[in-house]
Amino acid sequence: MATTNLKQLQQRVDELTQQLEYHNYRYYVLDEPSIPDVEYDRLFRELQSIEAEYPQLRSASSPTQRVGAAPLSEFKSVQHVLPMLSLANAFSKDDIHDFQKRIQDRLDEVNEVEFVAEPKLDGLAISLRYEKGLLVTAATRGDGTTGEDVTQNVKTIKAVPLRLHGDDIPSVVEIRGEVFMRTKDFARLNQAQLEKDEKPFANPRNAAAGSLRQLDSNITATRPLSIYCYALGDYSGTLPEKHDEVLKLIQHYGLPVCPEIKTVIGVKGCINFYENILRKRDQLAYEIDGIVYKVNSLQQQSQLGFVSRAPRWAIAHKFPAQEEMTQVEAIDIQVGRTGALTPVARLKPVQVAGVTITNATLHNDDELQRKDVRVGDTVIVRRAGDVIPEVVSVVKEKRPANTRKFVMPTHCPVCHSLAERIEGEAVIRCSGGLFCEAQRKEAIKHFASRRAMDIEGLGDKLVEQLVDENLISDVADLFSLKWEQVAALDRMGEKSAQNLINALQQGKSTTLPRFLFSLGIREVGEATARTLAMFFGSLHAIALADVETLQSVRDVGPVVAQHIHTFFQQAHNREVVQKLLDAGIHWPVIEVSAKQQKLNGKTIVLTGTLEKYKRQELKELLQAQGAKVSGSVSKKTDYVIAGTDPGSKYEKAQSLGIEILNESQIEALLA
Ligand code: 9MJ
């Protein structure tokens, strides 16, 4: 009985492994997922739980074994059975003509030679060794003869199969390629580094290399690494005749190959390919630093041989560099849509990879101080794809005498409100949220949005139009808009204009939590707005509270307290709030003390269609009385409020014996 059970489980493990491998391949190699993530996670957890109970069924190449290995104290070295090659460089068309001539002379060939042209990825070369189809070692290039064993790290790259695809697999298959980071992944990783107050990487190459050379593979697992393969190393099977067939074979084994690669004829074919790719360089999802041309015929390759460790049959035709040197003429401060103050270097114009650069971001004050960029400095700037150019570093030897450290301003350069840096945050922000011209559009969009003041018909596009036409400059101006002004806007009908005026009129009647939320104070979300309203009971009391008092509110920590305090300290913000109150915005008075709350501590679930209230309104009314409104029924539920057509929540409440109320009963409770 026990053995049959184990046999069946082994079968299930095999099935799950196969499915997970297949979906990994669809997702990470083909970029064509065929099941939703939750389904993948479900399969994964099922496998994990079987393996946890029956460790004897867990193999080293199980999809669950990609992460979780213990950190190493050092990398072991790996001897490459066949050396990992390096490439000679070419910088001009002439160099390519010479390359082709050398080849034709040596081959004694009169016809044009066939080449494979491959984008040259700027990452880290790696060799993957599969024995009996299973990944056994992944090693870096090192000096070409000896590399480092980074198997555990490479296993975290989901595009690398732990088991080769196909049936007829030679006992030894070594596949070589480049581990790299896509431009978008790199930008995201660096953004996260900045947010964690950690040093960003200078470029995707460093990010990829740094991630792969982690002794703790759990860190590597969090880094978005990609791989494209381009060669076989040690191989016990029969090689095809041509390099482009080798690439097809690699794909058949389940590894990704760069989709841009083409077989071309002669120098002309090579240069054409080079120019095509150079034109679309900025649109590629990854950085490349040139094109590699490889003689296609493997027989010709072996005839040509090597000079030292570089093959005579291949060359790297380099692209213009993505980093250049220039001077900083000024450092300006830009204010973003959310009030973040970003230092920007104004540069002496310089050509970088075919584009003139005049500005580069310095990210934030920490980065600026870390790099110590000063006006007058010579700096290295870099651009890639559609990413904002950045200052990579200062060439300190070229720093002129009497430069001064740059100091961030204490006030917003746009609206002159206080610029604050909250402890633990990297950014400095303008605190004039409601007033600042740089933040105007975002502030108004937020104010009008559904969960804030819920002004129907006032969408993002219309807000932009109203600001661009100078009809409003702050949120309070919305309430003095005239029908004629709105109706005269492009693409606005008379009826819609009237609807908007009506919606604005209706919007004046709101609740204090909504109003507070709509002011867009940093980190004051709906929940915090509600607790603040319940605690203080009036806007006035919140606006006058000091940081200490604010912190005595549940869920309000020092950072939020500081944001709230600074917001109401700004005369500009207070003026706009007063303008809103003068325009007639009002809300019902809130009773404060918990003792007076009729539903304090009760958990309530709403179901079905309500007649009298909008669901959100009733939710707020209940919350104002201290109730917690939950989305699902459980034993902890105190009441279920049922409208018409209640669903399964109603049945569940019945089966659990929970008290069910209709609308009039809840009204009676609240009265
Ligand atoms: C890169 N880096 O993309 C080679 N490479 O071939 C391509 N590198 C290479 N091929 C032999 N596409 C040695 C290096």
Side-chain angles (χ1 to χ4, degrees):
M1 178 64 195
T3 44
T4 357
N5 187 18
L6 211 56
K7 229 179 180 169
Q8 278 169 352
L9 278 170
Q10 177 69 61
Q11 224 170 32
R12 183 65 188 147
V13 165
D14 292 347
E15 248 169 50
L16 287 167
T17 303
Q18 247 174 35
Q19 286 178 21
L20 287 164
E21 281 175 349
Y22 172 73
H23 293 301
N24 247 340
Y25 178 70
R26 294 283 305 228
Y27 192 99
Y28 291 101
V29 180
L30 301 184
D31 195 16
E32 281 169 3
S34 59
I35 54 165
D37 290 356
V38 284
E39 179 61 13
Y40 182 91
D41 293 343
R42 201 189 60 71
L43 297 170
F44 192 87
R45 280 197 306 271
E46 187 185 341
L47 182 57
Q48 255 180 339
S49 79
I50 301 178
E51 289 177 345
E53 205 169 331
Y54 301 91
Q56 68 269 42
L57 300 182
R58 179 189 293 140
S59 80
S61 57
S62 164
T64 62
Q65 300 306 295
R66 287 186 183 268
V67 287
L72 307 172
S73 51
E74 57 173 5
F75 293 114
K76 283 190 294 194
S77 28
V78 174
Q79 289 285 120
H80 298 297
V81 177
L82 291 180
M84 288 183 78
L85 311 177
S86 58
L87 295 167
N89 289 324
F91 298 95
S92 66
K93 285 183 197 173
D94 282 351
D95 290 348
I96 301 305
H97 277 285
D98 294 347
F99 167 68
Q100 133 108 3
K101 185 160 184 331
R102 285 195 302 269
I103 287 173
Q104 290 206 301
D105 289 351
R106 271 198 180 256
L107 294 176
D108 217 5
E109 176 70 69
V110 281
N111 294 320
E112 296 243 63
V113 176
E114 204 172 77
F115 293 97
V116 175
E118 307 177 352
K120 185 169 179 294
L121 296 149
D122 201 8
L124 201 73
I126 205 94
S127 186
L128 309 168
R129 187 175 175 89
Y130 291 86
E131 291 177 5
K132 300 200 182 83
L134 300 181
L135 178 66
V136 289
T137 314
T140 60
R141 179 176 179 281
D143 61 5
T145 315
T146 313
E148 284 178 324
D149 184 335
V150 287
T151 312
Q152 208 48 55
N153 292 345
V154 169
K155 278 188 171 181
T156 69
I157 305 173
K158 304 271 191 24
V160 173
L162 302 181
R163 189 161 67 166
L164 292 180
H165 297 191
D167 302 320
D168 207 10
I169 297 165
S171 59
V172 175
V173 179
E174 238 177 59
I175 295 175
R176 288 167 178 186
E178 199 86 356
V179 170
F180 63 97
M181 202 175 278
R182 288 169 200 269
T183 315
K184 286 236 162 65
D185 291 333
F186 166 71
R188 223 172 295 143
L189 173 65
N190 262 0
Q191 190 58 40
Q193 292 286 105
L194 286 173
E195 277 161 19
K196 284 190 289 185
D197 262 339
E198 280 175 30
K199 195 177 150 187
F201 296 97
N203 52 51
R205 206 203 98 78
N206 287 9
S211 301
L212 207 55
R213 296 203 68 265
Q214 290 287 336
L215 290 166
D216 183 355
S217 65
N218 292 299
I219 297 178
T220 313
T222 68
R223 304 285 173 79
L225 293 172
S226 299
I227 184 169
Y228 278 144
C229 299
Y230 47 69
L232 284 175
D234 194 11
Y235 187 67
S236 64
T238 316
L239 284 170
E241 287 183 6
K242 294 186 168 186
H243 179 65
D244 52 10
E245 292 161 357
V246 169
L247 296 178
K248 282 215 180 77
L249 189 61
I250 292 175
Q251 276 180 304
H252 278 128
Y253 287 143
L255 286 108
V257 169
C258 174
E260 307 293 336
I261 294 178
K262 270 209 169 91
T263 306
V264 298
I265 310 280
V267 179
K268 223 180 182 163
C270 290
I271 301 294
N272 251 338
F273 183 87
Y274 177 94
E275 281 170 355
N276 273 333
I277 297 286
L278 185 54
R279 260 194 299 277
K280 63 188 234 193
R281 183 186 194 182
D282 280 352
Q283 279 98 56
L284 292 178
Y286 39 85
E287 285 194 14
I288 57 174
D289 59 354
I291 305 291
V292 188
Y293 310 125
K294 297 175 179 171
V295 169
N296 198 11
S297 151
L298 298 197
Q299 194 266 324
Q300 287 183 334
Q301 281 188 10
S302 67
Q303 231 178 306
L304 289 162
F306 299 82
V307 247
S308 62
R309 203 161 287 140
R312 282 202 191 86
W313 45 264
I315 201 159
H317 190 181
K318 303 287 266 193
F319 278 160
Q322 279 178 312
E323 290 184 357
E324 292 293 344
M325 234 166 20
T326 187
Q327 271 120 41
V328 177
E329 292 182 332
I331 297 176
D332 288 350
I333 301 297
Q334 263 177 8
V335 186
R337 294 176 305 137
T338 60
L341 268 51
T342 306
V344 175
R346 306 289 176 209
L347 306 168
K348 190 167 161 212
V350 61
Q351 286 268 321
V352 186
V355 174
T356 307
I357 302 290
T358 53
N359 304 309
T361 180
L362 292 156
H363 297 294
N364 59 42
D365 191 30
D366 282 354
E367 274 300 288
L368 178 79
Q369 300 310 333
R370 185 175 70 75
K371 292 172 185 160
D372 187 17
V373 181
R374 305 180 183 193
V375 176
D377 266 340
T378 297
V379 291
I380 294 172
V381 288
R382 114 175 226 105
R383 70 167 284 277
D386 50 8
V387 181
I388 304 165
E390 60 176 355
V391 172
V392 178
S393 58
V394 173
V395 186
K396 291 269 162 68
E397 306 79 63
K398 293 192 179 239
R399 174 169 284 168
N402 62 45
T403 60
R404 264 182 296 159
K405 252 192 182 315
F406 183 81
V407 183
M408 289 289 280
T410 54
H411 288 76
C412 170
V414 174
C415 78
H416 309 294
S417 297
L418 191 68
E420 52 172 354
R421 177 168 180 175
I422 302 282
E423 203 155 315
E425 288 201 343
V427 269
I428 298 180
R429 279 179 206 280
C430 161
S431 57
L434 273 191
F435 170 80
C436 182
E437 205 168 314
Q439 300 169 68
R440 195 169 278 176
K441 284 182 180 171
E442 291 313 301
I444 301 173
K445 285 177 195 171
H446 171 74
F447 182 83
S449 66
R450 204 169 54 78
R451 284 154 52 189
M453 296 294 280
D454 193 18
I455 312 289
E456 210 172 317
L458 186 51
D460 291 359
K461 284 267 148 46
L462 187 51
V463 169
E464 304 214 350
Q465 230 179 333
L466 289 167
V467 174
D468 292 341
E469 299 282 331
N470 284 323
L471 294 180
I472 53 172
S473 60
D474 61 42
V475 289
D477 292 342
L478 283 169
F479 298 97
S480 32
L481 278 173
K482 301 272 179 302
W483 175 84
E484 304 82 51
Q485 294 175 307
V486 181
L489 289 172
D490 268 0
R491 294 186 301 278
M492 176 62 80
E494 296 189 354
K495 184 89 197 308
S496 324
Q498 190 55 52
N499 288 346
L500 179 66
I501 301 289
N502 294 348
L504 282 163
Q505 189 57 33
Q506 277 167 19
K508 289 181 185 171
S509 168
T510 184
T511 65
L512 179 54
R514 267 183 187 273
F515 183 72
L516 259 182
F517 174 60
S518 73
L519 296 178
I521 304 167
R522 281 203 73 73
E523 306 216 16
V524 175
E526 288 171 281
T528 309
R530 206 162 41 236
T531 11
L532 283 168
M534 295 311 302
F535 186 94
F536 289 99
S538 78
L539 181 67
H540 201 59
I542 300 169
L544 290 178
D546 57 24
V547 173
E548 205 177 4
T549 316
L550 286 163
Q551 279 194 66
S552 53
V553 179
R554 179 168 51 90
D555 295 343
V556 174
V559 171
V560 186
Q562 187 60 57
H563 281 310
I564 300 166
H565 184 67
T566 318
F567 179 90
F568 286 108
Q569 284 290 301
Q570 303 309 302
H572 298 137
N573 290 341
R574 285 203 307 274
E575 278 162 25
V576 177
V577 169
Q578 191 53 51
K579 251 168 92 182
L580 286 166
L581 299 178
D582 292 346
I585 291 192
H586 62 280
W587 50 82
V589 177
I590 294 177
E591 291 183 15
V592 190
S593 134
K595 273 190 225 129
Q596 291 171 343
Q597 288 178 342
K598 299 186 173 87
L599 296 169
N600 197 28
K602 300 285 186 213
T603 299
I604 299 182
V605 174
L606 304 180
T607 178
T609 315
L610 302 167
E611 307 276 348
K612 275 197 167 163
Y613 298 98
K614 281 189 190 164
R615 187 173 274 248
Q616 186 61 26
E617 267 173 21
L618 182 56
K619 193 172 160 188
E620 279 173 14
L621 274 173
L622 296 169
Q623 281 164 336
Q625 292 301 331
K628 181 170 168 259
V629 178
S630 161
S632 59
V633 178
S634 75
K635 275 187 281 188
K636 294 203 184 110
T637 310
D638 294 292
Y639 302 112
V640 167
I641 301 175
T644 47
D645 297 331
S648 58
K649 289 179 196 168
Y650 184 85
E651 284 157 24
K652 183 148 186 210
Q654 276 187 320
S655 72
L656 290 173
I658 290 163
E659 193 170 345
I660 298 174
L661 306 175
N662 60 28
E663 268 182 276
S664 34
Q665 285 169 312
I666 190 68
E667 248 181 336
L669 248 180
L670 290 172

